[in-house]
Amino acid sequence: RLATDDTTRGTRLHKKTGRWQARIWKDNKEISLGYFDTQEEARAAYIAGYATLVVNELENQNATEKL
């Protein structure tokens, strides 16, 4: 497996289509965020998806603590 650095994390090149896939993992399950023409677009989608995931986790944690 190739090393992942901060510029490639959450993206991979789909060999059959030649497009870049953005993906995140939650609870050991892959969530595809879509396919993009450039790695930069895929990376932007990963960052947005990851940020949304973190915000949702924090909101769920805060809601649980208020109970």
Side-chain angles (χ1 to χ4, degrees), residues 1-49:
R1 183 174 170 113
L2 296 173
T4 300
D5 62 26
D6 286 338
T7 61
T8 59
R9 184 179 311 267
T11 66
R12 70 174 177 178
L13 182 61
H14 192 269
K15 291 180 182 179
K16 287 185 180 181
T17 65
R19 299 185 77 200
W20 288 91
Q21 180 186 21
R23 59 192 180 151
I24 56 177
W25 291 83
K26 181 172 180 353
D27 299 328
N28 292 324
K29 293 182 182 177
E30 178 184 342
I31 302 169
S32 177
L33 302 174
Y35 291 88
F36 302 88
D37 292 328
T38 67
Q39 185 179 17
E40 291 79 16
E41 291 172 323
R43 179 70 176 149
Y46 166 78
I47 291 169

